Amino acid sequence: MIDHTVGLIDDNGKLVGTGSIAGNVLKYIAVTNENAVQGARFSQIVTALQQYLYSIKCYHSFVFTKAQYATSFSHLGFNEVARTDEAAFLESGTPNIDDFVSNIPNPYKGKNKKVAAIVMNANPFTKGHQQLVELASKENDLVYVFVVQTDASLFKTDERLNLVKQGTADFKNVLVISGGDYMVSKSTFPAYFLKSSDELITTQTQIDAHVFKNFIAPSLSITRRYLGTEPFSRTTSFYNQSLSSILNPEIEVKIINRFQANEQVITATYVRQLIKEDKLAEIASFVPNSTMQFISANKEALQTRIRKGMNINGN
Amino acid sequence: MEIKTTGVAGTLESSDIQIMISKGDDGIQIDLDSEVIKAYGDQIKKVITDTLEKYGIDNAKVKAVDKGALDCVIAARTLAAAQRATETSDRPELGVLQ
């Protein structure tokens, strides 16, 4: 997971600081201020990490840190995007969150319309996803469907995005958009993709909820967020709790019971299991035609990914 | 002069300034972060703007994190970032600094 690590050595050859980079996230930064000007080594480490990112043409970085260290990063030009009692999430460089939201179409700004949002990984897009979008589409003037951008799932990011677009094409008031770095991404919410402790999941889901509440919702006039109940995934059920407690009352959280087919709850997890077991005929009742066609056409490729070790039991 | 990519120069260490220049379409817009912004903010922005205009850049987004840099440092870092952003670093235009 770590791409790059730097060490800072003093005149006596002693290690006095270190820091690492994973993707575009600064991690594991530690310095001793012994025999040094307060903050000087910290600045050197952060500079070195950023210069590594610049050298690979990455000009936007994140840090997820304990709340008490947020000011240290603010002094180095980081802007706080969200904070909880325990943690803070900051970013530096360009394009930032303002650029992200200003690139999203916003036809109803200031028009007092009902605008809703759904965030989904859609791995792959099922009839359950489709019915959730259909319900939101009927109950609102505009629905944003944000598709998780992080590429850590059986179905690749562009495949998931395309299947969501195809599966929602009939709903004219639905906009399908990539969730970017800010909605359930490996920057804001790594626990979604990795096995993690309850505490970590809680903190990260709270940060994700605050980012949505502070930036995404106000700039796109979103007043409702739709969620599916999650009977099976512990991470998602924590996420739903955090969203409900943080978004309400400013943003109405609607938790919708999972839809069923053949008296069985529809989940993408089960669809992935069926792909692994080569039971394609059973999949048809759980996914729309567009997803079914894609799975049939790419069965071998998907099964190869599973054989090569892609985890299909997570999210 | 056309900005082709994002260009960065400088560090976050004391007495330096880090300048990041990227494409803009609304004049030279500077987002400055400095402990001495009250006393020197206008002067820092003036040095950055003058340097960019002298180099022939009229539209750019500039993010500057100042750690107490002198004017000569600000101008040098701005020029280096501008030449990286315009992919012209192979032809240093040191005359801009005079």
Coordinates of all heavy atoms in Angstrom, one line a residue, chain B residues 20-87:
Chain B
M20 N 2.8 27.2 -6.7 CA 2.2 26.3 -7.6 C 1.4 27.0 -8.6 O 0.5 27.8 -8.2 CB 1.3 25.3 -6.8 CG 0.8 24.2 -7.7 SD -0.4 23.1 -6.8 CE 0.8 22.0 -6.0
I21 N 1.7 26.8 -9.9 CA 1.0 27.6 -10.9 C 0.3 26.6 -11.8 O 0.8 25.6 -12.3 CB 2.0 28.4 -11.8 CG1 2.7 29.5 -10.9 CG2 1.4 29.0 -13.0 CD1 3.8 30.2 -11.6
S22 N -1.0 26.9 -12.0 CA -1.8 26.0 -13.0 C -2.6 26.9 -13.9 O -2.7 28.1 -13.6 CB -2.6 25.0 -12.2 OG -3.3 25.5 -11.1
K23 N -3.3 26.3 -14.8 CA -4.1 27.0 -15.8 C -5.2 27.8 -15.2 O -5.8 27.4 -14.2 CB -4.8 26.0 -16.7 CG -4.1 25.8 -18.0 CD -5.0 25.1 -19.0 CE -4.2 24.8 -20.3 NZ -4.0 23.4 -20.5
G24 N -5.4 29.0 -15.7 CA -6.5 29.9 -15.2 C -7.1 30.6 -16.4 O -6.4 30.6 -17.5
D25 N -8.3 31.2 -16.2 CA -8.8 31.9 -17.4 C -9.4 33.3 -16.9 O -10.1 33.9 -17.6 CB -9.9 31.1 -18.1 CG -10.9 30.5 -17.1 OD1 -10.9 30.9 -15.9 OD2 -11.5 29.5 -17.5
D26 N -9.0 33.7 -15.8 CA -9.6 34.9 -15.2 C -8.4 35.8 -14.6 O -8.5 36.1 -13.4 CB -10.6 34.6 -14.2 CG -11.4 35.8 -13.7 OD1 -11.4 36.8 -14.5 OD2 -12.1 35.7 -12.7
G27 N -7.5 36.2 -15.4 CA -6.3 37.0 -14.9 C -5.4 36.1 -14.0 O -5.5 34.9 -14.0
I28 N -4.6 36.8 -13.2 CA -3.7 36.1 -12.3 C -4.4 36.1 -10.9 O -4.6 37.1 -10.3 CB -2.3 36.8 -12.3 CG1 -1.7 36.6 -13.6 CG2 -1.5 36.2 -11.1 CD1 -0.4 37.3 -13.8
Q29 N -4.8 34.9 -10.6 CA -5.5 34.7 -9.3 C -4.6 34.1 -8.3 O -4.1 33.0 -8.5 CB -6.7 33.9 -9.5 CG -7.8 34.5 -10.3 CD -9.1 33.7 -10.3 OE1 -9.0 32.5 -10.7 NE2 -10.2 34.3 -10.0
I30 N -4.3 34.8 -7.2 CA -3.4 34.2 -6.2 C -4.1 33.9 -4.9 O -4.8 34.7 -4.3 CB -2.3 35.3 -5.9 CG1 -1.6 35.7 -7.2 CG2 -1.2 34.7 -4.9 CD1 -0.6 36.8 -7.1
D31 N -3.8 32.6 -4.5 CA -4.3 32.2 -3.2 C -3.0 32.1 -2.3 O -2.2 31.2 -2.5 CB -5.0 30.8 -3.4 CG -5.4 30.2 -2.0 OD1 -5.3 30.9 -1.0 OD2 -5.7 29.0 -2.1
L32 N -2.9 33.1 -1.4 CA -1.7 33.2 -0.6 C -1.9 32.8 0.8 O -2.9 33.2 1.5 CB -1.2 34.6 -0.6 CG 0.0 35.0 0.3 CD1 1.3 34.2 -0.1 CD2 0.3 36.5 0.3
D33 N -1.0 32.0 1.3 CA -1.0 31.5 2.7 C 0.3 32.0 3.3 O 1.4 31.7 2.8 CB -1.0 30.0 2.7 CG -1.5 29.4 3.9 OD1 -1.3 30.0 5.0 OD2 -2.1 28.3 3.8
S34 N 0.2 32.9 4.3 CA 1.5 33.4 4.9 C 1.2 33.9 6.4 O 0.1 34.4 6.7 CB 2.0 34.6 4.1 OG 3.1 35.2 4.7
E35 N 2.2 33.7 7.2 CA 2.1 34.1 8.6 C 2.1 35.7 8.7 O 1.6 36.3 9.6 CB 3.2 33.6 9.5 CG 3.5 32.1 9.2 CD 3.0 31.2 10.3 OE1 3.2 31.5 11.5 OE2 2.3 30.2 9.9
V36 N 2.7 36.3 7.6 CA 2.9 37.7 7.6 C 2.0 38.4 6.6 O 2.3 39.4 6.1 CB 4.4 38.1 7.4 CG1 5.2 37.7 8.6 CG2 4.9 37.5 6.1
I37 N 0.8 37.8 6.4 CA 0.0 38.2 5.3 C -0.5 39.7 5.5 O -0.7 40.5 4.6 CB -1.2 37.2 5.0 CG1 -1.9 37.5 3.7 CG2 -2.2 37.3 6.1 CD1 -2.7 36.3 3.1
K38 N -0.7 40.0 6.8 CA -1.2 41.4 7.1 C -0.2 42.4 6.7 O -0.6 43.4 6.1 CB -1.5 41.5 8.6 CG -2.9 41.1 9.0 CD -3.3 41.5 10.4 CE -4.7 40.9 10.7 NZ -4.8 40.7 12.2
A39 N 1.0 42.2 7.1 CA 2.1 43.2 6.8 C 2.6 43.1 5.3 O 2.8 44.1 4.7 CB 3.2 43.0 7.8
Y40 N 2.7 41.9 4.8 CA 3.4 41.8 3.5 C 2.6 41.1 2.4 O 3.1 40.9 1.3 CB 4.7 41.0 3.7 CG 5.7 41.7 4.6 CD1 5.9 41.2 5.9 CD2 6.4 42.8 4.2 CE1 6.8 41.9 6.8 CE2 7.3 43.5 5.0 CZ 7.5 43.0 6.3 OH 8.4 43.6 7.1
G41 N 1.3 40.8 2.7 CA 0.5 40.0 1.7 C 0.5 40.8 0.4 O 0.7 40.1 -0.7
D42 N 0.2 42.1 0.4 CA 0.1 42.8 -0.9 C 1.4 42.8 -1.6 O 1.4 42.7 -2.9 CB -0.4 44.2 -0.6 CG -1.8 44.3 -0.1 OD1 -2.5 43.2 -0.3 OD2 -2.3 45.3 0.4
Q43 N 2.5 43.0 -0.9 CA 3.8 43.0 -1.5 C 4.1 41.7 -2.2 O 4.6 41.6 -3.3 CB 4.9 43.5 -0.5 CG 6.3 43.4 -1.0 CD 6.6 44.3 -2.1 OE1 5.8 45.2 -2.4 NE2 7.7 44.1 -2.8
I44 N 3.9 40.6 -1.4 CA 4.2 39.2 -2.0 C 3.4 39.0 -3.3 O 3.9 38.6 -4.3 CB 3.8 38.2 -0.9 CG1 4.7 38.3 0.3 CG2 4.0 36.8 -1.5 CD1 4.3 37.4 1.5
K45 N 2.1 39.4 -3.2 CA 1.3 39.2 -4.4 C 1.8 40.1 -5.6 O 1.7 39.6 -6.7 CB -0.2 39.6 -4.1 CG -0.9 38.5 -3.3 CD -2.3 38.9 -3.0 CE -3.0 37.8 -2.1 NZ -4.3 38.3 -1.7
K46 N 2.2 41.3 -5.3 CA 2.7 42.2 -6.3 C 4.0 41.5 -7.0 O 4.1 41.6 -8.2 CB 3.1 43.5 -5.7 CG 3.5 44.5 -6.7 CD 3.7 45.9 -6.1 CE 4.1 47.0 -7.2 NZ 5.3 46.6 -8.0
V47 N 4.9 41.0 -6.2 CA 6.1 40.4 -6.7 C 5.7 39.2 -7.6 O 6.2 39.1 -8.8 CB 7.1 39.9 -5.6 CG1 8.3 39.2 -6.2 CG2 7.5 41.1 -4.8
I48 N 4.8 38.4 -7.2 CA 4.4 37.2 -8.0 C 3.7 37.7 -9.3 O 4.1 37.3 -10.4 CB 3.4 36.3 -7.2 CG1 4.0 35.7 -6.0 CG2 2.8 35.2 -8.1 CD1 3.1 35.0 -5.1
T49 N 2.8 38.6 -9.2 CA 2.1 39.1 -10.4 C 3.1 39.8 -11.4 O 3.1 39.5 -12.6 CB 1.0 40.2 -10.0 OG1 0.2 39.6 -9.0 CG2 0.1 40.5 -11.2
D50 N 4.0 40.7 -10.9 CA 4.9 41.3 -11.7 C 5.8 40.3 -12.5 O 6.1 40.5 -13.7 CB 5.8 42.3 -10.9 CG 5.0 43.5 -10.4 OD1 3.9 43.6 -10.9 OD2 5.6 44.3 -9.6
T51 N 6.3 39.3 -11.7 CA 7.2 38.3 -12.3 C 6.5 37.6 -13.4 O 7.0 37.4 -14.5 CB 7.7 37.3 -11.2 OG1 8.2 38.1 -10.1 CG2 8.7 36.4 -11.8
L52 N 5.2 37.2 -13.2 CA 4.5 36.4 -14.2 C 4.2 37.3 -15.4 O 4.4 36.8 -16.5 CB 3.1 35.9 -13.6 CG 3.3 34.8 -12.6 CD1 1.9 34.4 -12.0 CD2 3.9 33.5 -13.2
E53 N 3.8 38.5 -15.2 CA 3.5 39.4 -16.3 C 4.8 39.7 -17.2 O 4.7 39.7 -18.4 CB 2.9 40.7 -15.8 CG 1.4 40.5 -15.5 CD 0.7 41.7 -14.9 OE1 1.4 42.6 -14.5 OE2 -0.5 41.6 -14.7
K54 N 5.9 39.8 -16.4 CA 7.1 40.1 -17.2 C 7.5 38.9 -18.0 O 8.1 39.0 -19.1 CB 8.2 40.3 -16.1 CG 9.0 41.6 -16.3 CD 9.8 41.9 -15.1 CE 11.2 42.3 -15.5 NZ 12.1 42.5 -14.3
Y55 N 7.1 37.7 -17.5 CA 7.4 36.5 -18.3 C 6.4 36.2 -19.4 O 6.5 35.3 -20.2 CB 7.5 35.3 -17.3 CG 8.0 34.0 -18.0 CD1 9.2 34.0 -18.6 CD2 7.2 32.9 -18.1 CE1 9.7 32.9 -19.2 CE2 7.6 31.8 -18.8 CZ 8.9 31.8 -19.3 OH 9.4 30.6 -20.0
G56 N 5.3 37.0 -19.4 CA 4.3 36.9 -20.4 C 3.1 36.0 -20.1 O 2.4 35.5 -21.0
I57 N 2.8 35.8 -18.8 CA 1.7 35.1 -18.4 C 0.6 36.0 -17.8 O 0.9 36.8 -16.9 CB 2.0 34.0 -17.3 CG1 2.9 33.0 -17.9 CG2 0.8 33.4 -16.7 CD1 3.5 31.9 -16.9
D58 N -0.6 36.0 -18.5 CA -1.6 36.9 -18.0 C -2.8 36.2 -17.3 O -3.6 36.8 -16.6 CB -2.2 37.7 -19.2 CG -1.2 38.4 -20.0 OD1 -0.3 39.1 -19.4 OD2 -1.1 38.3 -21.3
N59 N -2.9 34.9 -17.5 CA -3.9 34.1 -16.9 C -3.3 32.9 -16.2 O -2.7 32.1 -16.8 CB -4.9 33.6 -17.9 CG -5.7 34.7 -18.5 OD1 -6.5 35.4 -17.8 ND2 -5.5 34.9 -19.8
A60 N -3.5 32.8 -14.8 CA -3.0 31.7 -14.1 C -3.6 31.6 -12.7 O -4.0 32.6 -12.2 CB -1.4 31.8 -14.0
K61 N -3.7 30.4 -12.2 CA -4.1 30.2 -10.9 C -2.8 29.9 -10.1 O -2.0 29.0 -10.5 CB -4.9 28.9 -10.7 CG -6.4 29.2 -10.9 CD -7.2 27.9 -10.4 CE -8.5 27.9 -11.0 NZ -9.2 26.6 -10.8
V62 N -2.6 30.7 -9.0 CA -1.3 30.6 -8.3 C -1.7 30.2 -6.8 O -2.5 30.9 -6.2 CB -0.5 31.9 -8.3 CG1 0.8 31.7 -7.5 CG2 -0.3 32.3 -9.7
K63 N -1.1 29.2 -6.3 CA -1.2 28.8 -4.9 C 0.2 29.1 -4.3 O 1.2 28.5 -4.7 CB -1.7 27.4 -4.8 CG -1.5 26.8 -3.4 CD -2.8 27.2 -2.5 CE -2.5 26.7 -1.1 NZ -3.4 27.3 -0.1
A64 N 0.3 30.0 -3.3 CA 1.6 30.3 -2.7 C 1.5 30.1 -1.2 O 0.6 30.5 -0.5 CB 1.9 31.8 -3.0
V65 N 2.5 29.3 -0.7 CA 2.6 29.1 0.7 C 3.9 29.7 1.2 O 5.0 29.2 0.9 CB 2.6 27.6 1.1 CG1 2.6 27.4 2.6 CG2 1.3 26.9 0.5
D66 N 3.8 30.9 1.8 CA 5.0 31.7 2.2 C 5.5 31.3 3.6 O 4.7 31.2 4.5 CB 4.7 33.1 2.1 CG 5.8 34.0 2.6 OD1 6.9 33.9 2.1 OD2 5.5 34.8 3.6
K67 N 6.8 31.2 3.7 CA 7.4 31.0 5.0 C 8.4 32.1 5.3 O 9.5 31.8 5.8 CB 8.1 29.6 5.0 CG 7.1 28.4 5.0 CD 6.3 28.3 6.3 CE 5.0 27.6 6.2 NZ 4.2 27.7 7.4
G68 N 8.0 33.3 4.9 CA 8.9 34.4 5.2 C 10.0 34.7 4.2 O 11.1 35.0 4.5
A69 N 9.7 34.5 2.9 CA 10.7 34.6 1.9 C 10.9 36.1 1.5 O 10.0 36.9 1.6 CB 10.2 33.9 0.6
L70 N 12.1 36.4 1.2 CA 12.4 37.8 0.7 C 12.0 37.9 -0.8 O 11.8 36.9 -1.5 CB 14.0 38.0 0.7 CG 14.6 37.9 2.1 CD1 16.1 38.0 2.0 CD2 14.0 39.1 3.0
D71 N 11.8 39.2 -1.2 CA 11.3 39.4 -2.6 C 12.1 38.7 -3.7 O 11.5 38.1 -4.6 CB 11.3 40.9 -2.9 CG 10.2 41.6 -2.2 OD1 9.5 41.0 -1.4 OD2 10.0 42.9 -2.3
C72 N 13.4 38.7 -3.5 CA 14.2 38.0 -4.6 C 13.9 36.5 -4.6 O 13.9 35.9 -5.7 CB 15.7 38.3 -4.3 SG 16.3 37.8 -2.7
V73 N 13.7 35.9 -3.5 CA 13.3 34.5 -3.4 C 12.0 34.3 -4.1 O 11.8 33.4 -4.9 CB 13.3 34.0 -2.0 CG1 12.9 32.5 -1.9 CG2 14.7 34.1 -1.3
I74 N 11.0 35.2 -3.7 CA 9.7 35.0 -4.3 C 9.7 35.1 -5.8 O 9.1 34.3 -6.5 CB 8.7 36.2 -3.7 CG1 8.6 36.1 -2.2 CG2 7.4 36.1 -4.4 CD1 8.0 37.3 -1.5
A75 N 10.5 36.1 -6.3 CA 10.5 36.2 -7.8 C 11.2 35.0 -8.4 O 10.7 34.5 -9.4 CB 11.3 37.5 -8.1
A76 N 12.3 34.5 -7.8 CA 13.0 33.3 -8.4 C 12.1 32.1 -8.4 O 12.0 31.3 -9.3 CB 14.3 33.1 -7.6
R77 N 11.4 31.8 -7.2 CA 10.5 30.7 -7.2 C 9.4 30.8 -8.2 O 9.0 29.8 -8.8 CB 10.0 30.5 -5.7 CG 11.0 30.2 -4.7 CD 11.8 29.0 -5.0 NE 12.5 28.4 -3.8 CZ 13.4 27.5 -3.9 NH1 13.8 26.9 -5.0 NH2 14.0 27.0 -2.7
T78 N 8.8 32.0 -8.3 CA 7.7 32.2 -9.2 C 8.2 31.9 -10.7 O 7.5 31.2 -11.4 CB 7.2 33.7 -9.2 OG1 6.8 34.0 -7.8 CG2 6.0 33.9 -10.1
L79 N 9.4 32.4 -11.0 CA 9.9 32.2 -12.4 C 10.1 30.7 -12.6 O 9.7 30.2 -13.7 CB 11.2 33.0 -12.6 CG 11.8 32.7 -14.0 CD1 10.9 33.2 -15.1 CD2 13.2 33.4 -14.1
A80 N 10.7 30.0 -11.6 CA 10.9 28.6 -11.8 C 9.6 27.8 -12.0 O 9.5 27.0 -12.9 CB 11.7 28.1 -10.6
A81 N 8.6 28.2 -11.2 CA 7.3 27.5 -11.3 C 6.7 27.8 -12.6 O 6.1 26.9 -13.3 CB 6.4 27.9 -10.1
A82 N 6.8 29.1 -13.1 CA 6.2 29.5 -14.3 C 6.8 28.7 -15.5 O 6.2 28.3 -16.4 CB 6.3 31.0 -14.5
Q83 N 8.2 28.6 -15.5 CA 8.9 27.9 -16.6 C 8.5 26.4 -16.6 O 8.5 25.8 -17.6 CB 10.4 28.2 -16.5 CG 10.7 29.6 -16.8 CD 12.0 29.8 -17.5 OE1 13.0 30.0 -17.0 NE2 11.9 29.7 -18.9
R84 N 8.3 25.9 -15.4 CA 7.9 24.4 -15.3 C 6.5 24.3 -15.9 O 6.2 23.4 -16.6 CB 8.0 23.9 -13.9 CG 9.4 23.7 -13.5 CD 9.6 23.3 -12.0 NE 11.0 23.3 -11.7 CZ 11.5 23.3 -10.5 NH1 10.7 23.4 -9.4 NH2 12.8 23.3 -10.3
A85 N 5.6 25.2 -15.5 CA 4.2 25.2 -16.0 C 4.1 25.3 -17.5 O 3.2 24.8 -18.1 CB 3.3 26.2 -15.2
T86 N 5.0 26.1 -18.1 CA 4.9 26.4 -19.5 C 5.9 25.4 -20.3 O 6.0 25.5 -21.5 CB 5.3 27.8 -19.8 OG1 6.6 28.1 -19.2 CG2 4.3 28.8 -19.3
E87 N 6.5 24.5 -19.5 CA 7.4 23.5 -20.1 C 8.5 24.2 -20.9 O 8.8 23.9 -22.0 CB 6.7 22.5 -20.9 CG 5.8 21.7 -20.0 CD 5.0 20.6 -20.8 OE1 4.9 20.6 -22.0 OE2 4.5 19.7 -20.1

